[in-house]
Amino acid sequence: MLRLAALSSCAVLLACSQGEESTRGQNELFRVRDAEFVAGALPGYKAPTTPTTTPNTHGLPTITNISLANFIVRQGQGGKRIAGQASDKSWSIGVSLKGISNGYWMLPVGDVDPSTGAFGWSGVADFDPGVPTGPQTLQMVVFDRQGRAGVQALQNLCVAGIEPDEFNVCYPNTPPPAAAISLTWNANADLDLQVVTPDGKVVSAKHPLVADPQGDEIVDPSEPHLDRDSGANCTPEGIHTENLIWPNDAPVGRYRIHVNLFNPCGRSIVPFRVAVFTSTAVGDAGREMKRSFESSGEILDVQAGPASALGMLITNYNFK
């Protein structure tokens, strides 16, 4: 059984109608599902300046553990799970994105774990496409039953753009790829990027390697490959992007670019964009991605087809 959030009632926070309650925080760039948004700065005592600093808890509960499956998220990514544990006397958790949020999101804590004496908590976060790229910081704080905030906790993460830059914004020493073909769309649907190579091989989510595989098609990130099967099974993961990436050597020859609608997921029309990127030298040893082709369009639900069939032809692109 979950505890009720200490500040979850409109009567405690401010007078509001049910309609206002349901829309509060909907325009935030960082949102937490099934949580209540509270405008204003995150309360609590400032987090310690270094990890080795022992905070003065002021007799209030604290966050004792934070768990992220991956510290990198993409602009527009949805369904990012944030979890952890909190100490005794914990009642609810406040979460915000430092410098980005105009308030914080309230989550309840779960029951105590008898083996550790800690209270578990978790939330599912969505990152708007407008969240700035680069290093960001999650701020969290625990409230007790009286609504008093303890010491804030910080968790670093990095927001990557939707462009196929191999997370260069998060790992500056990792250069962007030599070239990429990118498909993006803005709705919960299962689109597939399909690229036919000069020798006739179809690269797709089912066959993500450009080169002929030796045995199973196990993706080696150092080799040309399709990076993901986005929107598979109509999962609302929020990225809606598939990239065919050449990490090191730019391709040569004519490539046919197709878009296949595998599953419209209940939508009648799905807008999309296809772009081709090539990298150019910058400075002494750097590279940056340049868009060399772009085309936007729409695909209808009646055009849905199996993964084995080639979808709508977008262009024949010649890499030189």
Side-chain angles (χ1 to χ4, degrees), residues 133 139 171 189 218 242 294:
T133 60
Q139 291 178 298
Y171 300 106
I218 300 174
E242 293 183 3
E294 183 173 42

Side-chain angles (χ1 to χ4, degrees), residues 144-229:
D144 67 7
R145 188 166 189 155
Q146 288 72 43
R148 298 176 299 181
V151 178
Q152 294 179 3
L154 304 178
Q155 172 64 51
N156 293 329
L157 54 78
C158 185
V159 178
I162 63 171
E163 310 294 8
D165 67 349
E166 291 291 82
F167 303 110
N168 176 257
V169 69
C170 299
Y171 300 106
N173 293 329
T174 300
I181 299 173
S182 179
L183 167 66
T184 60
W185 61 100
N186 62 0
N188 183 33
D190 187 357
L191 268 66
D192 290 320
L193 174 64
Q194 300 169 321
V195 178
V196 183
T197 67
D199 59 4
K201 180 180 179 181
V202 179
V203 182
S204 66
K206 299 295 184 184
H207 303 284
L209 298 182
V210 172
D212 289 332
Q214 299 296 321
D216 294 334
E217 292 201 54
I218 300 174
V219 172
D220 179 349
S222 67
E223 297 296 328
H225 66 278
L226 191 72
D227 63 353
R228 70 170 63 81
D229 184 8

Side-chain angles (χ1 to χ4, degrees), residues 99-317:
I100 305 298
S101 297
N102 296 303
Y104 54 97
W105 297 91
M106 295 289 294
L107 289 165
V109 299
D111 288 333
V112 67
D113 183 341
S115 63
T116 63
F119 291 91
W121 59 271
S122 66
V124 177
D126 297 324
F127 293 78
D128 190 87
V131 174
T133 60
Q136 303 292 349
T137 304
L138 286 173
Q139 291 178 298
M140 288 158 274
V141 73
V142 184
F143 296 89
D144 67 7
R145 188 166 189 155
Q146 288 72 43
R148 298 176 299 181
V151 178
Q152 294 179 3
L154 304 178
Q155 172 64 51
N156 293 329
L157 54 78
C158 185
V159 178
I162 63 171
E163 310 294 8
D165 67 349
E166 291 291 82
F167 303 110
N168 176 257
V169 69
C170 299
Y171 300 106
N173 293 329
T174 300
I181 299 173
S182 179
L183 167 66
T184 60
W185 61 100
N186 62 0
N188 183 33
D190 187 357
L191 268 66
D192 290 320
L193 174 64
Q194 300 169 321
V195 178
V196 183
T197 67
D199 59 4
K201 180 180 179 181
V202 179
V203 182
S204 66
K206 299 295 184 184
H207 303 284
L209 298 182
V210 172
D212 289 332
Q214 299 296 321
D216 294 334
E217 292 201 54
I218 300 174
V219 172
D220 179 349
S222 67
E223 297 296 328
H225 66 278
L226 191 72
D227 63 353
R228 70 170 63 81
D229 184 8
S230 188
N233 303 313
C234 293
T235 303
E237 36 85 276
I239 299 177
H240 308 316
T241 301
E242 293 183 3
N243 300 304
L244 178 55
I245 295 172
W246 286 264
N248 300 309
D249 299 320
V252 176
R254 182 186 180 197
Y255 287 76
R256 287 166 40 208
I257 304 173
H258 295 255
V259 174
N260 182 54
L261 177 60
F262 180 72
N263 191 335
C265 305
R267 297 182 177 273
S268 59
I269 301 175
V270 183
F272 66 86
R273 184 199 72 175
V274 170
V276 177
F277 298 87
T278 54
S279 68
T280 57
V282 177
D284 294 333
R287 292 201 315 232
E288 69 176 7
M289 301 293 287
K290 297 285 188 180
R291 186 182 287 107
S292 54
F293 170 84
E294 183 173 42
S295 178
S296 298
E298 295 178 337
I299 192 165
L300 306 179
D301 56 353
V302 295
Q303 296 174 277
S308 58
L310 282 176
M312 180 189 301
L313 175 64
I314 305 303
T315 190
N316 294 300
Y317 188 86

